[in-house]
Amino acid sequence: MNKATERIKKTEKKPSILDGISLALPALMRAEKLQKRTSHVGFDWPETKQVLDKINEESLEIVEAYESGEPQSRIHEEVGDLMFVVANLARKLGVDPEHALRDANQKFTDRFQYIEDNAPKPMQNMELSEMEALWIEAKTKT
């Protein structure tokens, strides 16, 4: 084999089961598709409990990075890892993570607007504890 052929062979990329998963997808949707695709070849935790354990592990890694003063890039990486595992949990539980997050955003919006509508004074003049009391009240109404 000549050197040109060797060079071409080295640059040829082996097909991947991840080929075709668009980089243009929203990140949460792409995470779900990556995990679903790899699960087809057995690269997946068999038990949901294992995913929950991984969520705890990733949460602790964020705490460690934050408390030890790690650079923002490290914290960024750890938060991304946690979000990726949460997307995996959603998949394992049969929950559409994009839809679940959209619903959580709406629930937050409804509850926060309840606080705004029922605040006895301008919110910037309220203590967090006062806002939290209204939040708890909102939870019973939304």
Side-chain angles (χ1 to χ4, degrees), residues 17-139:
I17 64 165
L18 302 177
D19 289 347
I21 300 176
S22 175
L23 291 169
L25 289 171
L28 192 55
M29 186 181 296
R30 187 160 193 273
E32 181 185 27
K33 288 185 180 294
L34 289 167
Q35 293 166 9
K36 188 180 287 186
R37 188 80 61 89
T38 58
S39 74
H40 292 307
V41 296
F43 192 73
D44 196 5
W45 286 292
E47 302 294 326
T48 302
K49 171 79 170 83
Q50 294 168 296
V51 182
L52 291 166
D53 291 342
K54 188 66 174 175
I55 287 172
N56 288 330
E57 177 187 320
E58 294 297 344
S59 295
L60 290 173
E61 288 178 7
I62 292 169
V63 171
E64 287 174 16
Y66 174 74
E67 289 180 348
S68 66
E70 294 280 342
Q72 187 65 25
S73 60
R74 171 94 156 91
I75 295 169
H76 170 98
E77 179 183 343
E78 294 301 341
V79 169
D81 290 348
L82 176 62
M83 293 173 73
F84 190 82
V85 176
V86 169
N88 196 11
L89 177 64
R91 180 185 62 82
K92 295 287 271 185
L93 296 174
V95 172
D96 177 341
E98 194 71 36
H99 189 191
L101 184 56
R102 193 173 298 114
D103 288 349
N105 287 342
Q106 187 59 55
K107 182 170 57 174
F108 176 87
T109 299
D110 294 344
R111 290 176 181 174
F112 187 81
Q113 287 174 338
Y114 180 90
I115 295 170
E116 289 177 316
D117 294 343
N118 293 280
K121 56 188 170 188
M123 289 184 68
Q124 59 269 26
N125 297 335
M126 292 176 67
E127 297 292 325
L128 179 58
S129 61
E130 295 174 290
M131 288 185 265
E132 285 179 345
L134 285 170
W135 181 269
I136 291 167
E137 192 177 301
K139 286 174 69 172

